[in-house]
Amino acid sequence: MTEALLLAIDQGTTSTRSILHGADLAPRAVAQQALPQHYPSPGWVEHEPEDIWAATLATMREALARGGAQARQLAGIGITNQRETTLLWDRASGRAIARAIVWQDRRTAADCAALVDRGAAPLVTARTGLLCDPYFSATKLAWLLDNVSGARAAAERGDLAFGTVDSFLLWRLTGGRVHATDATNAARTMLFDIRAGDWDDDLLRLFRIPRAVLPEVRDCAAEFGTTAPGLLDAAVPIRGMAGDQHAAMLGQACFEPGMVKSTYGTGCFLLLNTGDAAVESNNRLLTTLAWQLNGRRTYALEGAIFIAGAAVQWLRDGLRIIADAAESGTLAAQADPAQRVHFVPAFVGLGAPHWDADARGAILGLTRGTGPAEIARAALESVAFQTRDLVEAMRADWGAEGQPVLRVDGGMTASDWTMQFLADLLGAPVDRPEVQETTALGAAYLAGLQAGLLPPPGPAVAHWRLERRFSPRMARAEADALHAGWQGAVQRVLTK
């Protein structure tokens, strides 16, 4: 009997990956393509939708070929995606009416500020668990409706469809037969009531969004349709969908309340499982869905750092002080410990817990002795400093004693130097798993769950294995002093 396989599509901010997994969730083959970024104005970030689609289809086919597999062997496809990125497309042609507005885009900062001034922020937070910030999809969608000629009238006629990247890919994969999303992606739009589990009419009126453009919301593991003829050599059911950070939480097996994961990709996203309780934050964290299965919602507290791995990319592509991201840790280890340089990477504002869309990046503490090694170290340290800010805010909201073990994934975790500094600064263990592609792993898990190949979340799911634990070595007084220096640097760039 032919082994059942699972295919995970991981559509991220800087690349698109497709990973073939066995029914045991072991990765079998991977294909990846870089995704070009477009920056038409300061603070604007866009993707070309056709680039996203072309890379998705190409990597799916390539992953199957590399794994020596055929589409008919697939028990299901799982989709995970960069969240909040906003697309609006024509239902008849399936083509987007403008470039996708990426989650990092800040063009609607003034619109969000105006909503706050009008007193709308409490309603937004009460219904969605989010803050009124351009990070989320609602003001991006409103901007497209108001700034693309004829878009609002077409939307009100029902001619246009809105979606985050998952919905757009699902539409294309099913040949336009299915316009749907999952609850985790819906929860990031600033239009979805995370307790009622539905689009919110008050928020639709606030942001002037016609209900006709919205996708149907389904569980993370569900029947999302089958691939259209001609895309693959057989029709394949699409059975899993979750935003990237939620999929990573499943991939990291953070199934119990109190478990924490942090993903270090372009940005950094730290999620704490709070079980069936939607915990309200007093420290400007987000209350969000972890996942929704069988109609039951599991919640999380989330802290978002907009710039993590993107800072290393800037060292490579902007300053050109490294040729490859892997060199950053080696260079940082050569830095003069007497040089206390702080790099606040607020290229697109600061996320949690500051939420300052107007803050901009700065490198502070420069002397004539400062060189590439010190700047590289400051860039890597900035990720650990921001993580500690989030962990401290989460501990205050959650009320748990002690420091939780932090499960990490993403490209930056390959740097032993960075992970050791993170453990030192937190004063807590940092666990790196054997399988680093936890986002894709979570998507494959959801597809396997819906296909009946895998059990529901719980101790029976044994796909997580430890590769290395980083234990703290630094004295707490030294770690606290370093963190205090960072906080002083952040105060220099805040505008609020």
Side-chain angles (χ1 to χ4, degrees):
M1 182 176 177
T2 303
E3 178 192 11
L5 300 173
L6 301 163
L7 183 65
I9 299 168
D10 180 2
Q11 203 299 299
T13 310
T14 58
S15 71
T16 302
R17 284 185 293 270
S18 291
I19 302 180
L20 186 67
H21 296 78
D24 58 355
L25 293 181
R28 301 296 178 86
V30 59
Q32 179 170 347
Q33 287 191 13
L35 178 63
Q37 318 292 303
H38 301 277
Y39 309 100
S41 295
W44 292 29
V45 188
E46 297 178 345
H47 287 154
E48 182 57 58
E50 293 306 313
D51 289 346
I52 294 174
W53 169 241
T56 299
L57 187 56
T59 56
M60 290 171 64
R61 291 169 172 170
E62 185 179 348
L64 286 168
R66 289 187 173 187
Q70 294 181 317
R72 65 173 178 268
Q73 294 175 253
L74 295 176
I77 293 172
I79 301 173
T80 185
N81 56 286
Q82 52 169 310
R83 303 173 303 170
E84 298 96 15
T85 294
T86 300
L87 298 101
L88 192 60
W89 64 92
D90 181 82
R91 289 182 182 273
S93 68
R95 295 189 69 87
I97 65 170
R99 281 178 177 165
I101 303 180
V102 177
W103 59 273
Q104 295 170 312
D105 190 285
R106 312 304 285 174
R107 75 185 66 181
T108 60
D111 299 323
C112 290
L115 288 167
V116 172
D117 290 342
R118 285 169 49 192
L123 170 65
V124 169
T125 300
R127 302 286 172 83
T128 70
L130 309 176
L131 300 177
C132 200
D133 190 87
Y135 172 31
F136 306 107
S137 308
T139 55
K140 293 174 166 60
L141 175 55
W143 190 94
L144 288 171
L145 292 172
D146 290 337
N147 288 275
V148 177
S149 179
R152 185 166 290 281
E156 290 172 352
R157 290 195 305 269
D159 293 342
L160 301 182
F162 152 73
T164 42
V165 171
D166 58 305
S167 292
F168 177 69
L169 291 179
L170 181 64
W171 180 279
R172 286 295 184 88
L173 285 167
T174 61
R177 295 193 303 272
V178 182
H179 184 209
T181 188
D182 80 286
T184 66
N185 277 296
R188 311 298 296 190
T189 61
M190 215 156 51
L191 299 169
F192 187 77
D193 187 326
I194 61 171
R195 293 170 179 83
D198 197 4
W199 302 114
D200 186 87
D201 288 327
D202 292 331
L203 294 174
L204 295 178
R205 282 190 291 270
L206 177 67
F207 291 104
R208 299 182 303 117
I209 305 299
R211 183 177 275 271
V213 303
L214 300 176
E216 177 190 347
V217 181
R218 300 181 182 177
D219 284 349
C220 298
E223 299 298 331
F224 287 96
T226 57
T227 57
L231 295 183
L232 301 171
D233 60 28
V236 181
I238 301 158
R239 286 178 157 159
M241 190 179 290
D244 51 9
Q245 305 313 316
H246 315 271
M249 204 169 189
L250 289 162
Q252 288 276 33
C254 290
F255 299 143
E256 300 300 320
M259 296 185 74
V260 187
K261 77 89 195 172
S262 190
T263 298
Y264 297 95
T266 302
C268 164
F269 302 89
L270 192 147
L271 274 73
L272 165 70
N273 185 330
T274 62
D276 57 7
V279 175
E280 296 182 8
S281 175
N282 295 313
N283 294 282
R284 295 174 66 80
L285 299 177
L286 307 177
T287 304
T288 193
L289 290 178
W291 53 76
Q292 180 175 304
L293 298 171
N294 295 319
R296 179 179 177 182
R297 290 177 284 278
T298 297
Y299 294 93
L301 279 171
E302 176 176 335
I305 297 168
F306 296 152
I307 299 293
V312 178
Q313 291 173 333
W314 183 70
L315 297 181
R316 182 192 64 197
D317 303 333
L319 293 187
R320 299 186 179 180
I321 62 175
I322 56 174
D324 184 85
E327 295 178 17
S328 58
T330 303
L331 188 59
Q334 300 169 8
D336 178 2
Q339 296 275 341
R340 287 314 312 161
V341 178
H342 287 104
F343 177 14
V344 184
F347 296 128
V348 291
L350 287 172
H354 309 289
W355 293 105
D356 188 339
D358 296 319
R360 289 297 176 262
I363 301 177
L364 304 167
L366 298 174
T367 71
R368 286 293 300 273
T370 302
E374 287 72 32
I375 293 174
R377 182 188 65 187
L380 296 181
E381 287 180 343
S382 73
V383 177
F385 286 132
Q386 291 176 96
T387 302
R388 175 162 166 171
D389 289 343
L390 297 182
V391 168
E392 290 186 349
M394 282 187 176
R395 287 185 63 209
D397 283 336
W398 181 240
E401 295 295 328
Q403 289 279 30
V405 174
L406 183 65
R407 290 186 171 182
V408 297
D409 58 83
M412 290 193 77
T413 63
S415 168
D416 290 351
W417 189 95
T418 306
M419 293 301 98
Q420 184 58 54
F421 183 77
L422 177 60
D424 288 341
L425 198 68
L426 294 178
V430 170
D431 283 359
R432 186 170 64 192
E434 287 183 359
V435 177
Q436 282 290 293
E437 298 290 353
T438 57
T439 304
L441 187 65
Y445 168 72
L446 288 170
L449 174 64
Q450 181 64 20
L453 299 177
L454 297 167
V461 181
H463 61 255
W464 191 91
R465 292 179 178 82
L466 178 68
E467 183 264 332
R468 179 173 174 182
R469 167 167 286 187
F470 296 86
S471 298
R473 302 171 184 168
M474 186 181 292
R476 296 312 305 146
E478 181 181 357
D480 292 345
L482 292 174
H483 188 235
W486 158 260
Q487 291 178 313
V490 170
Q491 291 301 314
R492 301 281 292 276
V493 306
L494 291 175
T495 66
K496 299 179 180 178

